[in-house]
């Protein structure tokens, strides 16, 4: 699932004194080895969909620490961070808080979360790459991956069949050949691949598949890398997809992709795995029985490997102001450990680690999502990344490329310059 990154500027005021308070807490022994209560903040996803897993973690901790009281508060995604910012400015911080993986960076930069020892958590050596990156800042670990959500390709198998295509593509050559057939069959007013131009998650998958990156770290500093030969190769391939197969509005982002896809004017989307199902909901389905016409598959990349995908998901962190840090870490391990991951998988989630992910690749129900999640990328964990996102540098670059306003090379050069101005700024 996609989580919007909170720009660092949005939390700066609330977190200005956190680092100093954290140092004081460590000095006076307030890590909470003998804490008698725990406050856990989770989103409503856990409350609605797997309350039994929350209870199992509670029970495990109470069994080990008789008399401990565990309290829970649940928040919707739009509300959580405003409440967290407010409480972090007080001495009433929760002990465990769920964060979208793209939300971690701004808080880690400002010192909001306590450093944790990964070796104390189950399967930490096998954490999925995209989730591991999200909890790592400046070489230190500030959270524990909880669960993941990947990106897959979804297409209309009925439209493919009309064009003489009877099986989902396994290679990029097969994919483009199939799309060529579909495009020829359906005509220029149809998008054989509906790919919103400003969707930087898809575009950067091309960049990383080609061996490029948004930015590189060298000596503790980040430098934009979109003008590298590898990154340009990926961006040029992305442009070719837009030119050949995307016949919709070239200024669009991906926010309403399920709605557009449900209108039936396109064959393929490359998106968060849930979007195909959302397009088939009654309020979006203008095709009729769209769910029966959809097929998902692992998006092949031009490199010959599975396309590396942006991996969404959730992490759990311990605020540095928590007075029960040790107990909080124990609860997190009970919740996200081996048994907890089995429970999350049973609830149709992807696990936080490759060990638990491996068996899912052989199950037809989970094979596509699990295989796609195995190869992933994540945003640069740089102090100023929030400012890059807030300025929509990547989106604007992609629109300039897609509309032909700039060449790929010029757009990438301009984006690099904009990124370099802020990426190392806290």
């Amino acid at each position: 699932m996609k989580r919007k990154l909170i720009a660092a500027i949005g939390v700066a005021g609330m977190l200005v004194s956190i680092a100093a308070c954290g140092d004081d807490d460590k000095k006076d022994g307030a890590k909470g080895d003998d804490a008698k209560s725990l406050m856990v903040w989770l989103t409503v996803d856990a409350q609605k969909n797997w309350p039994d897993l929350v209870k199992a973690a509670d029970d495990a901790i109470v069994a080990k620490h008789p008399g401990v009281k565990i309290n829970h508060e649940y928040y919707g995604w739009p509300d959580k961070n405003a409440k967290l910012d407010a409480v972090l400015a007080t001495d009433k911080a929760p002990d465990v808080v769920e964060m979208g993986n793209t939300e971690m960076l701004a808080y880690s930069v400002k010192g909001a979360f306590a450093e944790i020892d990964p070796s104390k958590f189950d399967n930490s050596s096998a954490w999925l790459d995209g989730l591991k990156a999200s909890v790592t800042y400046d070489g230190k670990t500030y959270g524990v991956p909880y669960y993941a959500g990947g990106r897959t390709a979804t297409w209309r198998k009925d439209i493919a069949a009309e064009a003489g295509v009877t099986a989902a593509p396994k290679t990029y050559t097969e994919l483009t050949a199939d799309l060529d057939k579909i495009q020829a069959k359906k005509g220029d007013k149809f998008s054989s691949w509906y790919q919103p131009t400003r969707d930087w998650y898809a575009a950067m998958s091309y960049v990383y598949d080609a061996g490029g990156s948004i930015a590189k770290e060298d000596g503790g500093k980040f430098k934009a890398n979109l003008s590298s030969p590898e990154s340009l190769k990926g961006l040029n391939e992305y442009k070719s997809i837009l030119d050949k197969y995307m016949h919709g509005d070239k200024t669009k982002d991906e926010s309403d992709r399920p709605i557009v896809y449900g209108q039936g004017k396109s064959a393929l989307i490359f998106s968060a795995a849930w979007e195909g199902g959302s397009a088939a909901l009654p309020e979006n389905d203008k095709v009729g029985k769209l769910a029966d016409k959809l097929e998902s598959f692992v998006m092949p990349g031009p490199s010959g490997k599975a396309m590396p995908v942006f991996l969404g998901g959730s992490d759990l962190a311990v605020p540095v102001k928590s007075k029960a840090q040790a107990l909080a870490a124990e609860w997190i391990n009970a919740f996200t450990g081996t048994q907890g991951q089995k429970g999350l998988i049973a609830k149709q989630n992807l696990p936080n680690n490759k060990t638990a992910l491996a068996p899912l690749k052989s199950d037809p129900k989970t094979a596509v999502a699990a295989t796609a999640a195995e190869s992933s990328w994540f945003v640069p964990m740089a102090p100023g990344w929030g400012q890059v996102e807030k300025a929509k540098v990547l989106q604007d670059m992609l629109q300039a490329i897609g509309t032909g306003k700039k060449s790929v090379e010029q757009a990438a050069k301009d984006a690099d310059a904009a990124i370099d101005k802020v990426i190392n700024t806290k």
Side-chain angles (χ1 to χ4, degrees):
M1 66 189 67
K2 184 175 75 175
R3 306 295 184 211
K4 297 286 187 180
L5 180 66
I6 293 209
I9 192 172
V11 294
M14 295 295 181
L15 305 183
V16 68
S17 64
I18 284 177
C21 291
D23 291 341
D24 290 342
D25 286 348
K26 291 177 183 177
K27 291 175 183 177
D28 66 18
K31 285 191 69 177
D33 296 296
D34 58 351
K36 299 301 182 185
S37 65
L38 198 67
M39 174 57 75
V40 177
W41 281 20
L42 299 172
T43 68
V44 292
D45 298 334
Q47 183 182 32
K48 293 179 179 179
N49 301 318
W50 45 89
D52 53 320
L53 304 184
V54 178
K55 184 178 185 301
D58 291 352
D59 291 345
I61 296 303
V62 172
K64 186 176 179 181
H65 302 278
V68 164
K69 184 177 182 181
I70 304 177
N71 302 297
H72 297 274
E73 291 188 15
Y74 295 92
Y75 296 94
W77 285 104
D79 307 319
K80 174 181 62 69
N81 289 340
K83 295 180 183 295
L84 180 61
D85 294 346
V87 78
L88 287 179
T90 74
D91 60 355
K92 303 295 184 182
D95 303 299
V96 177
V97 62
E98 178 181 351
M99 305 293 295
N101 64 338
T102 57
E103 297 172 343
M104 285 290 297
L105 178 56
Y107 289 86
S108 299
V109 168
K110 294 301 178 181
F113 298 141
E115 183 182 355
I116 63 105
D117 179 357
S119 68
K120 294 182 179 180
F121 296 87
D122 291 0
N123 302 303
S124 59
S125 62
W127 282 344
L128 297 179
D129 296 340
L131 293 186
K132 180 179 179 180
S134 73
V135 299
T136 306
Y137 174 68
D138 198 23
K140 299 177 181 179
T141 305
Y142 291 100
V144 176
Y146 173 10
Y147 67 93
R151 278 173 158 70
T152 60
T154 301
W155 77 355
R156 292 271 303 275
K157 56 186 178 181
D158 59 324
I159 291 177
E162 288 176 15
V165 178
T166 58
K170 301 294 185 183
T171 68
Y172 194 72
T173 299
E174 290 177 1
L175 173 68
T176 54
D178 292 346
L179 291 174
D180 287 342
K181 293 176 183 177
I182 293 170
Q183 196 65 61
K185 178 72 175 180
K186 302 297 286 186
D188 291 342
K189 293 184 179 181
F190 185 87
S191 293
S192 57
W193 180 348
Y194 179 71
Q195 178 51 56
T197 305
R198 292 173 66 86
D199 176 12
W200 63 278
Y201 297 102
M204 293 304 106
S205 287
Y206 273 94
V207 167
Y208 282 90
D209 181 73
S213 60
I214 299 170
K216 281 189 172 183
E217 183 180 9
D218 184 16
K221 295 291 185 180
F222 285 82
K223 183 169 180 56
N225 192 50
L226 293 168
S227 294
S228 70
E230 297 82 3
S231 295
L232 289 175
K233 181 180 179 181
L235 288 171
N236 274 297
E237 186 61 32
Y238 183 69
K239 176 175 171 52
S240 75
I241 291 298
L242 297 175
D243 290 346
K244 292 172 66 177
Y245 308 125
M246 171 58 179
H247 297 286
D249 185 347
K250 296 289 180 71
T251 67
K252 291 273 290 183
D253 65 18
E254 72 279 13
S255 59
D256 63 349
R257 177 164 44 206
I259 296 173
V260 175
Y261 191 51
Q263 294 171 354
K265 297 180 181 179
S266 55
L268 173 76
I269 55 173
F270 174 40
S271 64
W274 55 266
E275 291 189 42
S278 181
L281 292 174
E283 60 267 30
N284 294 330
D285 181 4
K286 308 304 180 185
V287 176
K289 298 184 179 180
L290 180 58
D292 297 335
K293 299 176 174 67
L294 298 180
E295 180 181 15
S296 293
F297 56 91
V298 178
M299 175 62 79
S303 67
K305 302 177 182 178
M307 185 79 86
V309 298
F310 177 83
L311 200 61
S314 280
D315 302 320
L316 297 174
V318 179
V320 75
K321 283 191 171 184
S322 165
K323 301 300 190 294
Q325 292 182 22
L327 189 62
E330 287 188 44
W331 189 91
I332 290 174
N333 195 42
F335 190 51
T336 65
T338 300
Q339 286 304 118
Q341 292 299 310
K342 289 180 179 178
L344 286 166
I345 291 169
K347 304 291 185 179
Q348 312 305 314
N349 297 290
L350 291 178
N352 67 0
N353 68 90
K354 295 177 181 178
T355 302
L357 189 73
L360 303 183
K361 294 168 62 180
S362 59
D363 184 340
K365 295 180 180 178
T366 55
V368 171
T371 303
E374 201 169 33
S375 177
S376 61
W377 61 271
F378 199 66
V379 300
M381 293 298 281
W385 177 252
Q387 296 183 58
V388 177
E389 280 219 37
K390 185 179 181 183
K392 300 186 183 300
V393 174
L394 296 180
Q395 293 94 320
D396 291 346
M397 173 190 72
L398 295 172
Q399 183 171 322
I401 290 172
T403 59
K405 183 177 180 180
K406 296 180 182 179
S407 68
V408 171
E409 291 73 17
Q410 187 61 52
K413 181 180 178 180
D414 292 346
D416 278 348
I419 290 171
D420 283 337
K421 285 181 180 179
V422 298
I423 196 169
N424 293 298
T425 304
K426 290 188 178 181

